[in-house]
């Protein structure tokens, strides 16, 4: 059963000031010299094929999909609308918590839409910050759930799922508070505008989840991001903006045959920024292109958050940087800039030849996947390497 209340709509914030942002930082970093940023899918959460059998519940291809729930070492996320079901290992959850126990700020960074992140939070590691939409939105956990604070996300209450070895503090429910300083920058008209944040009234859905009332159409949204979206629509592209406030996605699978057949050319143009406005950034991965404000993106948002964690960081202290104070876990092409910016990047899985090439050319990009050590085992190996460095005072 979903343990997240009213999570399937883009929330409105309770207030519009940003005075409480720093108070949301929950990890003391005074004695630690490093923060850890982690992607989610393919990095912490995996989709093991060997856990799937043909059964009686219809999947995407018309066949039935059944998942073996007998593995006691894994926590199973709710199935997605496409029938995929991710897993995260208990050991992964424990290792992430151990990093935080050592005073290491831990941040989840995903390109997923905010509504997807909200739905998955009960099953993910506790973190000191959560980032969605390729860096477009930043949220901090807030544990005094009955107190209204600046930036609190309306309608979201996270009830974490238990796992073997979890501390009782892990089960404490929490709400989310958005970083309004970051939001103010992202939502100016040179970027994403404010229309994507409009309050949506949830209504009961036949599948037991809340569903969306229609958001403000792209045709009526202001901001450079949505102006570019409209230009792509005129070219015939189908855009996915549902659940996004600061980004949109173009997926090869959703295009008409003529555009799908030339999609590689479109990906190449995007990688070269051909036709991409100066005010916007974009990243490609697994047949998809994400567009977002240029000041966003995983690398930029990690740099911004890092400076919130360390004394002097907000004063543009040149000694505080991702290269000196951060490592990351990642796996996708849309993680490349973040990986290269950090001191070390750990790849529990490699999803493309370009990522494999990146690892072969950069000694600070470390692949922990190997024969006999894949998926969760590779993730655990990466986290153990980071934890060992922390405990040996190498960071």
């Amino acid at each position: 059963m979903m343990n997240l209340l009213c999570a399937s709509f883009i929330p409105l914030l309770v207030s519009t000031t940003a005075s409480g942002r720093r108070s949301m930082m929950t990890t003391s970093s005074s004695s630690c010299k490093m923060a850890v940023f982690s992607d989610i899918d393919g990095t912490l959460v995996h989709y093991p094929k060997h856990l799937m059998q043909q059964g009686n519940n219809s999947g995407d291809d018309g066949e039935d999909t059944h998942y073996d729930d007998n593995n006691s070492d894994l926590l199973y996320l709710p199935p997605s609308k496409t029938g995929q079901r991710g897993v995260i290992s208990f050991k992964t959850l424990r290792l992430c918590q151990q990093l935080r126990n050592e005073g290491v700020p831990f941040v989840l960074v995903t390109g997923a839409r905010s509504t997807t992140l909200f739905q998955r939070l009960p099953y993910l590691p506790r973190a000191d910050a959560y980032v969605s939409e390729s860096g477009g939105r930043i949220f901090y956990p807030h544990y005094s759930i009955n107190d209204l604070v600046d930036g609190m996300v309306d309608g979201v209450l996270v009830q974490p799922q238990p796992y073997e070895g979890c501390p009782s503090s892990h089960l404490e429910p929490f709400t989310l508070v958005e970083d309004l300083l970051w939001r103010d920058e992202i939502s100016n008209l040179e970027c994403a505008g404010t229309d994507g944040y409009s309050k949506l009234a949830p209504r009961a859905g036949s599948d037991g989840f809340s569903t969306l009332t229609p958001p403000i159409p792209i045709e009526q949204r202001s901001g450079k991001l949505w102006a570019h979206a409209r230009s792509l629509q005129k070219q015939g592209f189908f855009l996915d903006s549902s659940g996004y406030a600061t980004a949109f996605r173009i997926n090869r699978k959703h295009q008409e045959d003529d555009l799908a057949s030339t999609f590689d050319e479109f990906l190449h143009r995007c990688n070269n920024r051909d036709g991409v406005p100066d005010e916007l950034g974009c990243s490609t991965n697994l047949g998809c292109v994400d567009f977002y404000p240029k000041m966003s993106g995983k690398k930029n948002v990690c740099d911004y958050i890092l400076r919130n964690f360390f004394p002097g960081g907000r004063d543009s202290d040149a000694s505080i940087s991702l290269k000196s104070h951060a490592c990351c876990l990642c796996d996708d092409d849309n993680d490349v800039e973040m990986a290269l910016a950090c001191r070390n990047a750990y790849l529990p899985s490699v999803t493309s030849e370009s990522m494999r090439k990146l690892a072969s050319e950069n000694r600070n990009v470390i692949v922990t996947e190997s024969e006999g050590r894949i998926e969760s085992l590779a993730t655990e190996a990466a986290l153990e390497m980071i934890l060992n460095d922390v405990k040996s005072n190498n960071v």
Side-chain angles (χ1 to χ4, degrees):
M1 178 178 292
M2 177 74 73
N3 285 311
L4 194 62
L5 302 183
C6 300
S8 339
F9 63 100
I10 303 175
L12 186 71
L13 299 185
V14 170
S15 83
T16 57
T17 63
S19 60
R21 173 177 53 82
R22 288 180 185 260
S23 66
M24 296 302 108
M25 301 296 183
T26 57
T27 296
S28 172
S29 55
S30 58
S31 62
C32 184
K33 299 179 181 179
M34 183 178 70
V36 176
F37 298 90
S38 181
D39 182 38
I40 298 177
D41 283 326
T43 303
L44 299 179
V45 173
H46 298 278
Y47 298 85
K49 294 181 180 179
H50 67 276
L51 294 181
M52 299 175 61
Q53 305 172 10
Q54 296 307 314
N56 294 319
N57 295 320
S58 181
D60 264 357
D61 56 1
E63 297 293 336
D64 294 335
T65 305
H66 172 71
Y67 294 86
D68 176 10
D69 288 336
N70 295 322
N71 191 325
S72 60
D73 297 325
L74 299 175
L75 184 64
Y76 288 72
L77 280 68
S80 70
K81 290 183 178 179
T82 62
Q84 287 188 311
R85 192 174 187 187
V87 298
I88 184 168
S89 74
F90 291 167
K91 188 173 181 179
T92 293
L93 292 163
R94 289 194 295 268
L95 288 167
C96 291
Q97 185 59 45
Q98 287 177 39
L99 281 170
R100 298 184 73 231
N101 291 345
E102 294 290 331
V104 177
F106 184 74
V107 180
L108 295 180
V109 185
T110 178
R113 67 197 85 218
S114 297
T115 51
T116 297
L117 174 65
F118 296 161
Q119 290 168 355
R120 303 173 88 189
L121 282 180
Y123 307 88
L124 298 177
R126 298 295 282 261
D128 298 283
Y130 304 92
V131 177
S132 62
E133 302 184 23
S134 297
R137 304 187 75 176
I138 304 170
F139 305 94
Y140 305 110
H142 180 62
Y143 299 100
S144 300
I145 61 176
N146 294 319
D147 295 340
L148 294 180
V149 298
D150 295 336
M152 183 177 287
V153 178
D154 183 28
V156 174
L157 175 64
V158 182
Q159 298 277 4
Q161 291 289 296
Y163 59 89
E164 182 180 339
C166 75
S168 58
S169 59
H170 174 88
L171 301 178
E172 181 182 358
F174 62 93
T175 57
L176 296 176
V177 173
E178 186 159 9
D179 188 319
L180 295 182
L181 294 181
W182 185 253
R183 171 176 159 159
D184 286 346
E185 293 293 327
I186 291 289
S187 61
N188 74 67
L189 291 179
E190 291 299 307
C191 296
T194 61
D195 295 330
Y197 298 93
S198 298
K199 186 174 182 179
L200 302 176
R203 62 177 186 267
S206 60
D207 58 358
F209 296 92
S210 296
T211 57
L212 300 181
T213 56
I216 295 177
I218 289 177
E219 293 76 14
Q220 299 176 21
R221 293 189 184 187
S222 58
K224 290 290 180 68
L225 177 70
W226 306 112
H228 185 55
R230 289 190 288 272
S231 72
L232 291 169
Q233 283 182 323
K234 290 179 180 178
Q235 297 175 44
F237 288 101
F238 178 85
L239 276 55
D240 181 1
S241 62
S242 176
Y244 292 98
T246 64
F248 66 88
R249 170 170 292 183
I250 299 181
N251 189 328
R252 182 202 307 267
K253 295 178 181 179
H254 297 161
Q255 309 310 312
E256 297 291 342
D257 289 345
D258 58 335
L259 288 175
S261 64
T262 59
F263 205 79
D264 284 340
E265 298 174 16
F266 177 62
L267 293 176
H268 180 72
R269 293 198 303 272
C270 291
N271 283 327
N272 291 330
R273 295 193 56 80
D274 183 8
V276 179
D278 292 340
E279 299 84 358
L280 302 184
C282 68
S283 57
T284 63
N285 185 54
L286 300 177
C288 295
V289 186
D290 291 327
F291 292 92
Y292 41 79
K294 191 173 184 179
M295 68 166 290
S296 183
K298 290 187 176 183
K299 170 183 173 291
N300 290 342
V301 76
C302 288
D303 182 72
Y304 171 86
I305 293 175
L306 180 78
R307 294 182 179 280
N308 289 333
F309 281 125
F310 291 95
R314 297 311 300 165
D315 300 323
S316 299
D317 185 343
S319 67
I320 306 296
S321 70
L322 293 173
K323 186 60 71 175
S324 61
H325 283 72
C327 69
C328 68
L329 294 91
C330 58
D331 72 309
D332 288 337
D333 286 342
N334 61 2
D335 299 319
V336 168
E337 288 188 346
M338 176 178 70
L340 291 176
C342 289
R343 190 173 74 184
N344 289 315
Y346 298 86
L347 278 60
S349 62
V350 180
T351 59
S352 67
E353 284 304 315
S354 57
M355 289 299 286
R356 195 172 301 280
K357 183 173 184 288
L358 183 75
S360 67
E361 295 176 348
N362 296 271
R363 66 177 184 175
N364 293 332
V365 179
I366 303 161
V367 177
T368 59
E369 178 184 57
S370 63
E371 185 176 355
R373 187 172 72 185
I374 62 173
E375 299 168 346
S376 293
L377 293 177
T379 297
E380 294 160 8
L383 289 167
E384 286 176 331
M385 292 174 69
I386 298 170
L387 190 59
N388 288 337
D389 281 345
V390 171
K391 290 184 175 181
S392 62
N393 296 316
N394 290 332
V395 297

